[in-house]
Amino acid sequence: MDTTSVVAEDRPRPAPAPPPSTRFEVRAALKDSAGVGLGFLPLGLAYGALVTQSGLDWWWAGLSAALVFGGSFEFLLIGTVTASAPLAAIAVSALLVNVRHVFYTLSFPLHRVSGRLGKAYSTYAMCDEAYALTTSEQAHTWCSRRILWLQFLLHLYWTGSSTVGALLGSLIPDSVTGLDFALTALFTVLALDAIRDLRGDVPTPVLAVLSALAAHLLFPSQMLLAAFTLFTAVLLARHFITSRKPRHA
């Protein structure tokens, strides 16, 4: 009788590694979101100051930042509210500005977020910066709590900086310029990080630029929607073509 297999079966198997603690996930999320939080700070201050300088109450900045959480649309919302624009016009503007979030769902790791409440908040709090961070190469192993804590911290950064900006809006002189460039600089840094994570997949940024140029030439009045639609169609076509190619051993 072969006792080798019996002895091997009797050996105690090592216990699986415990999942990371909540404290560890919070610290990791703080580290992941620190760079974006620094970018949110001047942008939120500028948004809050713009709210009070437009004649709205200071609390309107924090409330809109927490409930709308639409980034660039919130700047547009100030003008539509102060101009008493119709609700239908505001709704259409929100759709055109934030329609890009529909395409984010193609690669956003919502399947790794557990629970209905967690998925609901993750969908609500999905912004450009959260998408860029959670779809990077380093984020492929992030668990549900880390993703949710990251999104919550980004939400908190934006709401807090907007509220502080509204409270200090009267102290910021009109001669101060350049705060509005924080959003452009932030997106530039995130785009560079995403390109570095592609590991040689150069055609993707090239396709993005070509899609934007084609949308600008063919649909200048609806460039954003057309560019995202064309870019998504091209990516799907490329994926379909490459998946059909025979793989060599």
Side-chain angles (χ1 to χ4, degrees):
M1 179 179 178
D2 187 6
T3 60
T4 305
S5 60
V6 177
V7 174
E9 292 179 357
D10 292 340
R11 292 177 181 175
R13 297 181 179 179
S21 62
T22 302
R23 181 177 297 180
F24 174 82
E25 299 295 350
V26 173
R27 289 179 179 176
L30 281 170
K31 182 179 179 181
D32 298 331
S33 61
V36 176
L38 291 176
F40 272 6
L41 180 61
L43 188 62
L45 292 175
Y47 172 71
L50 182 60
V51 167
T52 55
Q53 291 177 1
S54 299
L56 300 173
D57 295 328
W58 68 268
W59 53 263
W60 201 90
L63 183 63
S64 61
L67 297 181
V68 179
F69 196 49
S72 56
F73 173 69
E74 293 179 44
F75 285 89
L76 178 62
L77 185 62
I78 297 176
T80 57
V81 170
T82 54
S84 301
L87 184 60
I90 298 177
V92 172
S93 300
L95 175 63
L96 293 177
V97 173
N98 294 324
V99 71
R100 65 190 185 278
H101 291 177
V102 176
F103 303 101
Y104 288 170
T105 58
L106 297 175
S107 54
F108 185 78
L110 188 62
H111 61 281
R112 280 193 268 130
V113 179
S114 59
R116 293 184 177 179
L117 184 60
K119 290 182 181 295
Y121 177 75
S122 183
T123 302
Y124 169 74
M126 183 176 63
C127 58
D128 300 329
E129 295 78 11
Y131 173 81
L133 292 173
T134 55
T135 56
S136 63
E137 185 71 21
Q138 297 82 1
H140 288 175
T141 58
W142 290 3
C143 65
S144 174
R145 286 183 298 181
R146 187 165 178 175
I147 295 174
L148 288 174
W149 273 110
L150 173 74
Q151 292 186 272
F152 173 75
L153 289 173
L154 294 180
H155 199 171
L156 184 63
Y157 295 154
W158 177 247
T159 304
S161 60
S162 299
T163 304
V164 173
L167 293 173
L168 300 178
S170 58
L171 303 179
I172 300 177
D174 297 335
S175 59
V176 175
T177 59
L179 291 178
D180 52 344
F181 185 72
L183 182 63
T184 304
L186 179 61
F187 284 157
T188 302
V189 173
L190 292 175
L192 292 176
D193 289 339
I195 292 175
R196 282 197 294 264
D197 288 339
L198 292 176
R199 294 184 178 180
D201 190 14
V202 179
T204 299
V206 173
L207 291 175
V209 173
L210 292 178
S211 299
L213 292 176
H216 177 69
L217 294 175
L218 300 176
F219 308 98
S221 60
Q222 309 243 346
M223 177 183 171
L224 185 62
L225 177 60
F228 271 99
T229 303
L230 182 59
F231 184 51
T232 303
V234 172
L235 290 180
L236 291 175
R238 188 183 65 174
H239 175 72
F240 179 75
I241 294 173
T242 54
S243 61
R244 295 188 61 181
K245 290 183 179 179
R247 297 183 179 179
H248 300 284

